Amino acid sequence: MVVPELRPWRAAKPRVVRAAGAVRPRLARAARAAEPRIARFARATLPQLARITRPKTWQYSAGAATAGLALAAGVVTAAGPWDSTGQRTAERDRAVAQAHTGGADHDRGAADSGTTPGAPRPAPSAGPVLAGLGGAFGGVPGGVKAAPGGKALGDVLEPLLKDPALGARRGAAVVDLTTGKRLYGLGADVPLTPASTTKIATAVAALTALGPDHRLTTRTALEAGTGELVLVGGGDPTLTARKEARGLASLRTLADKTAAALKKRNVRKVTLSYDTTLYSGAEMHPIGVNENLARVTALMADEARTDDSTSGPALRAADPAADAADAFAGFLQEHGITASAAGPSKATDRADTLATVSSPPLTALVERMLTNSDNDLAEALARHTAVATGEPADFDGVSAAVTARLKQLGLPVRGARFHDGSGLDRTDRITADLLTALLAKAADPARPELRPVLTGLPVAGFTGTLAGRYTDGAAGVVRAKTGTLTGVNTLAGTVVTADGRLLGFAFLTHDTTDAWAAQTALDEAATELAACGCA
């Protein structure tokens, strides 16, 4: 079955061929330029690497060094901490430092190519992956027939997906991201609880509604004639009050710039208030008070975390906006500006903007959201999508806005329900077909603005929520968004197969009783998909 919205792949194929040819010189230059850093990394990580001994780990990790998600390398320049090959720098360095590299572009001679008895086999390198994108090595045959002497895809996956650990209900789909053809489906059109794989839909909706260069801006405004200074929340949960901003919008910088502007007006004392009216409706998520999410408000600093963490569960401030305003008042005091105790208000149209600070571009925010499964950022981007779509910036508006954006893209939204942006709401529903269609849309050469949806996916064995998984499996080859709620385990992402094909997959399970066993079963299915030459 060919998904209708993916037919433009055929028309785009000549452009991808040209891109594939153009990227090869850059791959070679990047490899040469990386050698000093790789050497340093190897020395620094040698004790850790000594513990990684199983050949299967070497095989897949070596492939990550130059293969990875070649789509990002060959078609567009991806945003975020990526080098010219489309590979996360740390991931590439670690993989190459393992010494057992394989494939054509690892600068190793034939004697080291994996033919030595007991040595790991060469992993897919840049050439075969580009072939999977329609490059010089030829296109990817569609269908589910087995390769000569191999197994059909269904014969590989179905026994794994029948594992009792995966619960009573499950849905699965595998799509060839080059042709758009669905290669495998099991209950693929049945809406199931997606958990955090919802964030893939949130990312696509936000990028199409706002654009990849959009930034979230926090500002201060001085009301004329009243001396009231309003801290106006711009819906940026990454706004930081820490000394080291690390590229994020800084509340300290905003205070510095605001104090300078006030001094120019000969103002040394202000009545401070804060404005959270960009959002509407309830601040509390339906799950209630939870360490995985702060109250959803347009003003907060460091996601209202009460510790020094930057991701994962943490105790949150009871009133994030008031806490941010109090911190801001303290920073103003350091610059000689006295501020009253802050209270809620709304900046009028007559107020003069004194200073602004802006977040990193949306491309980077999407990558952070997906890599770290950042619930606060997901809810913020969903609300900004609602604002851009003309819907109320509340949970109902999010549902309408995300659905509308996906429908405009021609995606199969039948049965889908979005009650939040993070997937923490158990009443969310997504099909495996929709998840794979979202991944395929993000891989479309005609949609370069959606590429962060792919580049932000956690990398097996290396980054985000997959950093501790696949240590003895498809490390660096599987890139996927995880999802976990009580009784729900999901996984959706991309995989480079053993013969260099780029596939999108989605596995959803419901009524699981052992989260660890279910996660292990899903990882095994993705690993076997990577090893399969039968798609």
Side-chain angles (χ1 to χ4, degrees):
M1 175 182 123
V2 178
V3 181
E5 68 274 9
L6 302 178
R7 286 173 183 156
W9 278 104
R10 293 177 174 79
K13 196 171 184 179
R15 287 181 292 161
V16 182
V17 173
R18 292 193 296 272
V23 77
R24 290 190 182 94
R26 289 191 291 163
L27 285 168
R29 290 196 298 272
R32 289 192 296 270
E35 286 176 359
R37 284 181 292 165
I38 293 169
R40 290 194 299 271
F41 188 88
R43 290 192 295 271
T45 60
L46 190 57
Q48 294 175 314
L49 296 176
R51 295 195 297 269
I52 305 175
T53 58
R54 290 185 62 177
K56 200 169 187 180
T57 302
W58 289 115
Q59 176 183 347
Y60 288 115
S61 298
T66 57
L69 190 56
L71 174 66
V75 181
V76 297
T77 300
W82 297 80
D83 63 19
S84 61
T85 71
Q87 192 78 12
R88 283 189 187 272
T89 306
E91 173 191 344
R92 180 207 61 211
D93 288 355
R94 175 182 165 186
V96 176
Q98 291 179 357
H100 286 276
T101 53
D105 294 317
H106 289 244
D107 294 327
R108 297 176 66 84
D112 296 321
S113 65
T115 58
T116 303
R121 294 170 58 84
S125 194
V129 176
L130 292 174
L133 295 172
F137 289 83
V140 177
V144 295
K145 294 181 179 179
K151 290 183 178 180
L153 186 56
D155 293 339
V156 172
L157 289 180
E158 285 179 10
L160 298 171
L161 295 176
K162 289 180 180 178
D163 189 327
L166 295 179
R169 289 183 289 164
R170 63 207 69 180
V174 179
V175 171
D176 187 319
L177 293 183
T178 304
T179 66
K181 179 174 289 188
R182 192 174 81 182
L183 304 178
Y184 176 78
L186 173 68
D189 59 350
V190 177
L192 294 172
T193 303
S196 276
T197 55
T198 299
K199 294 181 177 72
I200 296 174
T202 300
V204 169
L207 285 165
T208 54
L210 302 166
D213 298 325
H214 185 78
R215 296 172 186 262
L216 313 182
T217 299
T218 307
R219 66 187 179 96
T220 52
L222 185 64
E223 295 289 354
T226 67
E228 180 186 10
L229 179 67
V230 187
L231 176 60
V232 183
D236 178 11
T238 68
L239 176 72
T240 182
R242 293 166 180 159
K243 288 184 178 181
E244 297 292 333
R246 300 184 183 278
L248 302 175
S250 170
L251 197 61
R252 294 170 183 265
T253 298
L254 185 62
D256 185 5
K257 294 164 68 174
T258 300
L262 289 170
K263 289 175 181 178
K264 285 184 177 180
R265 298 171 183 244
N266 200 30
V267 175
R268 295 291 192 279
K269 187 175 182 179
V270 294
T271 300
L272 182 62
S273 60
Y274 56 89
D275 182 347
T276 63
T277 59
L278 177 64
Y279 294 171
S280 57
E283 290 184 354
M284 186 66 71
H285 190 281
I287 63 172
V289 177
N290 192 286
E291 292 184 351
N292 290 296
L293 180 71
R295 298 179 73 95
V296 185
T297 175
L299 177 63
M300 66 174 69
D302 300 301
E303 299 182 337
R305 296 172 180 272
T306 58
D307 58 20
D308 60 357
S309 65
T310 58
S311 63
L315 290 175
R316 310 303 179 101
D319 190 340
D323 269 25
D326 288 345
F328 183 72
F331 299 147
L332 286 177
Q333 184 67 49
E334 293 175 4
H335 291 285
I337 303 295
T338 301
S340 66
S345 184
K346 177 176 172 56
T348 69
D349 293 338
R350 300 184 303 276
D352 292 333
T353 295
L354 296 185
T356 64
V357 290
S358 295
S359 72
L362 186 59
T363 51
L365 297 181
V366 163
E367 285 191 330
R368 169 174 168 156
M369 174 186 70
L370 293 171
T371 298
N372 295 335
S373 199
D374 192 317
N375 296 309
D376 300 282
L377 195 46
E379 296 300 347
L381 297 187
R383 271 171 169 64
H384 281 279
T385 300
V387 171
T389 310
E391 297 287 348
D394 57 18
F395 285 108
D396 289 339
V398 163
S399 178
V402 172
T403 303
R405 297 308 303 188
L406 302 189
K407 187 177 294 185
Q408 288 176 16
L409 290 171
L411 296 169
V413 296
R414 184 175 180 179
R417 298 290 183 271
F418 301 97
H419 296 292
D420 65 359
S422 63
L424 289 173
D425 194 317
R426 300 183 66 88
T427 62
D428 290 341
R429 293 291 183 270
I430 294 182
T431 65
D433 267 344
L434 176 54
L435 282 171
T436 51
L438 285 162
L439 294 167
K441 185 65 70 174
D444 187 342
R447 292 281 181 179
E449 74 279 6
L450 297 182
R451 210 68 75 243
V453 177
L454 301 183
T455 59
L457 293 173
V459 181
F462 291 101
T463 62
T465 54
L466 288 185
R469 292 163 66 169
Y470 298 88
T471 54
D472 292 314
V477 177
V478 171
R479 297 169 180 245
K481 183 70 200 74
T482 58
T484 307
L485 294 172
T486 302
V488 174
N489 294 87
T490 60
L491 190 69
T494 66
V495 60
V496 180
T497 66
D499 54 355
R501 297 179 173 117
L502 186 64
L503 307 181
F505 69 91
F507 304 139
L508 298 94
T509 66
H510 205 278
D511 300 325
T512 59
T513 57
D514 184 331
W516 178 259
Q519 173 182 298
T520 301
L522 292 178
D523 289 351
E524 183 179 357
T527 297
E528 289 304 314
L529 185 59
C532 182
C534 52

